Amino acid sequence: MNFSLKGRTYVVMGVANKRSIAWGIARSLHAAGARLVFTYASERFEKSVRELADTLEDDTSLFYECDVTDDDAVTKTFEDIKNDVGTIHGLAHCIAFAKKEDLQGEFVDTSRDGYLLAHNISAYSLVSVARAAAPLMTEGGGIVTLTYLGGERVVKNYNVMGVAKASLDATMKYLANDLGKDAIRVNAISAGPIRTLSAKGVGEFSTILKKIEADAPLRRTVTQEEVGDTAYYLLSDLSRGVTGEIIHVDSGYNILG
Ligand code: NDP
Ligand code: KAL
């Protein structure tokens, strides 16, 4: 069995900057020999994604704008990718968003608007992206999404995003069941807290990191590289018997009572 990704193409959605988990995934896939296709929400991040990709050795990456709240944009992005590269072998979905005011205080105060926005971008987007990407995975493939413990348990301040992650986790499993007959596997990585742009400005983030360092079985936080290598595992044939699974890359924190 050959676990190199040479000759394979993977779409990576959600690189904002060098701290993004998506960038950790991109580097692991690239190190394994994959060709990369990047998508970003708006022009605002295009330059930074292109500059990062430029740092990859022998870079042959492609770039597309794709706001996942827009069904036509999602459809067009994957049509363009099909025209430009043909077959793809997998996809990393590293996208989430909620309004700042819904990530503090009490969950009971979440507005209908805020609830729908968080679910639209953070959970439904996996459905629309999987539907658009599946026809390009003519040799089978893998889809990986990023989730967090706050979807399984109540975590202070995570609020509406926790409910959206619970929806994302179930979405991942239903997609795994639908797409399995086409040899497409769908899995999630539940990452421990990592300081990224999304985490910036989040109250008490440093306290959360300190708690992981004190209590997690490995007594340390995890890195983008560690999540990236697990994504490589899930997107390669190493995990060929695994689908509908949530792998925690969190120093073991989730096993604590
Ligand atoms: P980043 O801020 O680096 O990435 C978040 C990404 O979401 C951005 O690239 C942003 O795109 C994208 N995004 C937001 N709205 C849209 C949209 N409408 N269309 C397309 N893309 C959109 O943060 P992370 O790397 O931390 O987040 C990646 C994933 O990891 C998220 O699902 C997050 O919930 C999850 N996660 C993060 C953890 C952490 O501690 N950091 C822990 C567990 C899970 P753009 O930049 O182009 O706006
Ligand atoms: C318990 C934790 C800390 C509490 C809070 C909330 C974290 C929510 C994640 C969510 C994705 C953050 C946002 O949507 C931020 C957004 O309102 C403002 N930021 C932006 O618009 C930037 C510029 C762009 C790039 O961000 C996005 N997302 O588009 C959770 C911690 C311990 C773990 C984390 C951070 C989990 C997670 O899901 O990210």
Side-chain angles (χ1 to χ4, degrees), residues 12-246:
V12 179
M13 311 183 80
V15 176
N17 61 25
K18 67 171 191 223
R19 285 172 180 261
S20 294
I21 293 176
W23 180 239
I25 294 175
R27 273 182 295 160
S28 292
L29 298 178
H30 178 266
R35 182 180 197 195
L36 301 176
V37 173
F38 292 97
T39 74
Y40 42 86
S42 69
E43 272 176 48
R44 185 161 69 112
F45 285 100
E46 177 174 356
K47 189 163 168 266
S48 102
V49 177
R50 283 184 182 271
E51 280 171 5
L52 281 172
D54 262 350
T55 66
L56 298 171
E57 203 178 316
D58 299 327
D59 181 46
T60 56
S61 301
L62 295 169
F63 308 86
Y64 303 86
E65 186 176 318
C66 182
D67 176 349
V68 295
T69 61
D70 178 347
D71 275 336
D72 293 340
V74 172
T75 305
K76 182 173 184 311
T77 299
F78 285 92
E79 276 170 11
D80 290 347
I81 294 172
K82 186 179 178 188
N83 288 335
D84 296 343
V85 304
T87 295
I88 64 168
H89 301 85
L91 177 133
H93 170 280
C94 317
I95 292 172
F97 186 87
K99 290 186 197 174
K100 255 203 158 117
E101 65 257 35
D102 291 330
L103 300 170
Q104 56 201 342
E106 295 200 351
F107 170 70
V108 71
D109 293 323
T110 309
S111 65
R112 187 182 300 268
D113 245 24
Y115 187 99
L116 293 176
L117 178 72
H119 284 71
N120 188 13
I121 298 182
S122 317
Y124 181 75
S125 63
L126 186 65
V127 183
S128 65
V129 161
R131 191 166 57 238
L136 280 65
M137 297 190 205
T138 52
E139 299 166 10
I143 297 177
V144 167
T145 188
L146 264 299
T147 189
Y148 178 61
L149 187 63
E152 300 173 59
R153 302 189 200 157
V154 174
V155 173
K156 191 178 167 196
N157 291 333
Y158 204 57
N159 295 3
V160 73
M161 188 52 70
V163 181
K165 290 300 192 193
S167 168
L168 179 72
D169 295 354
T171 296
M172 176 276 290
K173 292 177 191 177
Y174 274 87
L175 289 172
N177 187 51
D178 283 350
L179 301 180
K181 57 183 174 309
D182 302 320
I184 298 171
R185 298 181 293 106
V186 189
N187 292 287
I189 298 173
S190 182
I194 297 178
R195 208 180 276 285
T196 62
L197 192 54
S198 279
K200 212 176 160 184
V202 156
E204 301 174 47
F205 191 72
S206 300
T207 315
I208 297 169
L209 293 179
K210 282 200 190 106
K211 196 166 161 49
I212 303 291
E213 284 164 6
D215 298 344
L218 295 180
R219 304 289 194 279
R220 62 172 181 83
T221 55
V222 295
T223 63
Q224 285 86 339
E225 288 70 26
E226 289 167 335
V227 175
D229 286 350
T230 297
Y232 160 53
Y233 158 75
L234 286 174
L235 293 173
S236 76
D237 298 343
L238 275 166
S239 61
R240 60 199 174 279
V242 180
T243 195
E245 186 67 277
I246 301 175

